[in-house]
Amino acid sequence: MALKPPTPPSVTSLVCRGCGAPLEIRAPGRSIVVACGACGTVLDAQDPDGTIIARYETRNTVVPRIPLGSRGRLKGEAWEVVGYQVRRTIADVPFTWFEHLLHNPTHGFRWLVESSGHFTLAKSASGLPSTVAENEATYLGDRYQHFQTAKAETVHVLGEFPWVVEAGDTAEVDDFVHPPLMLSRERTGQETTWSAGEYLSGDTVWKAFALPGAPPDPVGVGAAQPSPYTPRSGTMVLMLTLFIAAAVLIHVLFSILSQHRIVLDQAWEFQPNSAAAASVMTEPFVLDGRTSNVVAEISTTLSQSWAYFTLTLVDDESDGSRTFGREISYYFGRDSDGAWTEGASWDRVWLPSVPAGRYVLIVEPEGPQPFNYRVRLTRDVPRPLFVWLAIGGLCLPPLVFWWRQWRFETRRWDESDHPMSGSSSDDE
Amino acid sequence: MTRAYAVFGTLVLAALTWIHLTGWSPSNVTEEKGIPKSVRDNPGSYRSSYGTRPYTGAK
């Protein structure tokens, strides 16, 4: 049996050849380069002599939000922060984000990316997305929408990396989102790499690494931030449907079960300046059942004229009364706009909450011309207006909910290459 | 939000039932004799289409 060649011992520490600072290698055997936190010099992490790969004139002063060497548990696994890089877009107004490189001896490397207070935990994609169109990518069965494309450059590096990295590196970055998932493609002159990530809140990260203080306040809506509204949208639709159905059912039931009983239907003739016609009183009639409404309908033969009716419903037993007035006017004609009408020759009104009892109705009409009229009272008639008001009221909360959902997505996509509102904003 | 909506919707339905049951209405059924006689004698003068025209002052 042939002996395996001995594996060279991994480098676990170096001395920076730029400034003499001691450097700890936290992922020995895996890290390719290490960037000195004191001077920024990038060294070969696998060479015991620490060959210099890149050196900078200016001192590296970057301080990671999560210190190198911090350990925490994310997604049930233990991770140690071994590297950190600051990157920004190459644009008129550059946008900066921060990438912490995490290491676990069993699971390898992950990137914890912070962008405007939003975090994403990403790893190398297991295979290429199956479909990549201009505005879409499909990966592991999920369809991702293109969010933005940018040219990025590395501004600062610190700690260890499993690839050769140095400040000034550039890449073209494409982000695709399927909240809370995110897919990123990085293209350099030599290679294309894909990474898949999942959104994390700052609180989750701070708790995972037991960091002091509070996480940075998130600005706007993160590209992969899950909407708090989307999971409940279906529930709102279902509840709205059920509530409207219940409102209609209530009205239908009352329409079936209510009395709809005509208790008075009487006609009179009105003559101006006639004392006999100025006030008429009906025979007593009975309103029975529970306290409910009474519909008063007045129909007239008015034409190009008006009338005013003062009606008094008198409780024949208690002498209690309620008086109400109704005006009826009906005009019509033709002008340069065509035919027109105004008003109507009839009127209907719901008298609310009339107790049961024996009543008489006193009618006092007035008007400039003679006319005939009829008064009809119907007991206990459900009013459709209230069903429509109830449906309108029931629709309001879902409309507010959906507006806020739309607003959330608008704020997300306004930061992308595909803004929903047509303009970009940095508010909130 | 959904829980608050469930409570709100239930209250609306309860109010609808109570209104249908008692015949309650918030509106006043009395109409005032508010239209002046001059307007009554000039039908069409207060049609809505007239109201959309801006006032330009007396000629």
Side-chain angles (χ1 to χ4, degrees):
Chain A
M1 189 173 123
L3 290 173
K4 288 169 71 175
T7 307
S10 300
V11 177
T12 56
S13 64
L14 287 173
V15 173
C16 176
R17 295 184 65 181
C19 66
L23 300 175
E24 183 187 354
I25 306 300
R26 295 184 173 89
R30 282 181 161 167
S31 294
I32 302 295
V33 298
V34 56
C36 175
C39 67
T41 300
V42 179
L43 308 168
D44 185 339
Q46 296 192 328
D47 179 359
D49 293 331
T51 305
I52 293 177
I53 293 175
R55 192 172 201 168
Y56 306 98
E57 293 300 321
T58 55
R59 210 175 145 78
N60 195 342
T61 56
V62 63
V63 177
R65 280 201 199 273
I66 308 174
L68 297 190
S70 299
R71 293 183 178 191
R73 291 188 76 83
L74 283 172
K75 301 288 178 188
E77 304 295 343
W79 300 98
E80 181 179 11
V81 181
V82 299
Y84 177 73
Q85 61 175 335
V86 180
R87 306 178 77 187
R88 71 180 173 206
T89 56
I90 301 172
D92 292 340
V93 182
F95 174 78
T96 304
W97 70 96
F98 312 94
E99 298 183 359
H100 297 79
L101 184 63
L102 311 182
H103 178 252
N104 173 294
T106 305
H107 299 284
F109 291 97
R110 298 286 186 275
W111 290 269
L112 182 61
V113 183
E114 188 225 323
S115 171
S116 300
H118 301 278
F119 290 83
T120 308
L121 182 66
K123 64 178 181 179
S124 294
S126 52
L128 292 175
S130 56
T131 309
V132 181
E134 187 181 356
N135 289 327
E136 202 174 280
T138 304
Y139 175 67
L140 299 181
D142 291 321
R143 185 175 287 183
Y144 293 71
Q145 287 180 283
H146 178 259
F147 193 76
Q148 64 182 6
T149 295
K151 193 155 180 127
E153 75 170 326
T154 302
V155 184
H156 293 292
V157 290
L158 191 62
E160 304 159 45
F161 294 88
W163 72 95
V164 178
V165 59
E166 56 186 279
D169 283 353
T170 61
E172 187 163 308
V173 184
D174 301 287
D175 289 333
F176 299 82
V177 294
H178 176 72
L181 305 178
M182 188 168 192
L183 200 57
S184 295
R185 174 173 60 186
E186 293 211 14
R187 287 178 288 186
T188 62
Q190 299 80 35
E191 62 177 354
T192 298
T193 57
W194 287 87
S195 62
E198 184 171 355
Y199 184 89
L200 295 175
S201 69
D203 286 334
T204 304
V205 173
W206 248 239
K207 204 171 288 180
F209 288 93
L211 296 170
D217 289 330
V219 178
V221 175
Q225 184 176 352
S227 168
Y229 305 104
T230 303
R232 288 179 283 170
S233 188
T235 307
M236 290 299 280
V237 172
L238 181 65
M239 290 173 75
L240 175 63
T241 307
L242 289 176
F243 280 141
I244 290 177
V248 172
L249 183 65
I250 288 169
H251 183 69
V252 169
L253 281 177
F254 272 97
S255 297
I256 293 170
L257 301 175
S258 294
Q259 293 183 36
H260 288 273
R261 192 166 67 85
I262 297 172
V263 293
L264 173 74
D265 190 359
Q266 200 165 343
W268 294 274
E269 184 179 345
F270 173 74
Q271 291 290 340
N273 305 318
S274 163
S279 179
V280 295
M281 188 168 75
T282 67
E283 291 296 315
F285 55 88
V286 174
L287 299 178
D288 54 11
R290 68 183 191 282
T291 296
S292 63
N293 62 24
V294 172
V295 176
E297 293 170 286
I298 308 169
S299 54
T300 70
T301 57
L302 282 171
S303 177
Q304 308 288 22
S305 188
W306 62 271
Y308 189 85
F309 293 86
T310 302
L311 301 103
T312 305
L313 191 62
V314 182
D315 187 330
D316 201 29
E317 291 159 353
S318 70
D319 283 343
S321 67
R322 63 175 73 193
T323 300
F324 58 100
R326 306 296 296 178
E327 180 167 285
I328 298 177
S329 62
Y330 182 51
Y331 299 99
F332 54 88
R334 177 175 287 276
D335 60 15
S336 58
D337 296 332
W340 59 268
T341 64
E342 193 170 276
S345 60
W346 60 274
D347 181 57
R348 177 188 295 142
V349 63
W350 269 260
L351 307 178
S353 303
V354 182
R358 183 182 160 93
Y359 290 86
V360 294
L361 183 70
I362 299 169
V363 185
E364 298 166 286
E366 53 185 297
Q369 295 172 6
F371 58 87
N372 297 329
Y373 64 99
R374 172 183 289 273
V375 175
R376 186 163 69 177
L377 299 183
T378 309
R379 174 68 161 167
D380 193 14
V381 182
R383 195 172 180 183
L385 169 70
F386 292 117
V387 181
W388 290 112
L389 288 177
I391 290 173
L394 290 168
C395 287
L396 278 179
L399 287 175
V400 171
F401 175 87
W402 288 318
W403 179 82
R404 291 173 69 177
Q405 183 181 24
W406 174 83
R407 186 78 193 103
F408 186 91
E409 293 301 328
T410 301
R411 286 167 58 205
R412 180 204 308 281
W413 287 97
D414 277 356
E415 301 301 324
S416 75
D417 293 345
H418 317 283
M420 289 171 71
S421 67
S423 64
S424 182
S425 69
D426 292 322
D427 58 352
E428 297 180 70
Chain B
M1 178 90 183
T2 49
R3 187 168 295 180
Y5 182 50
V7 172
F8 173 78
T10 305
L11 288 176
V12 168
L13 294 179
L16 179 66
T17 305
W18 181 78
I19 286 171
H20 274 358
L21 203 61
T22 63
W24 178 85
S25 172
S27 58
N28 185 358
V29 296
T30 294
E31 286 180 344
E32 297 297 327
K33 284 189 282 187
I35 303 172
K37 194 172 185 340
S38 60
V39 177
R40 284 176 169 150
D41 291 341
N42 181 19
S45 65
Y46 55 97
R47 283 193 292 152
S48 58
S49 60
Y50 285 82
T52 61
R53 295 180 183 172
Y55 178 71
T56 54
K59 289 181 181 176

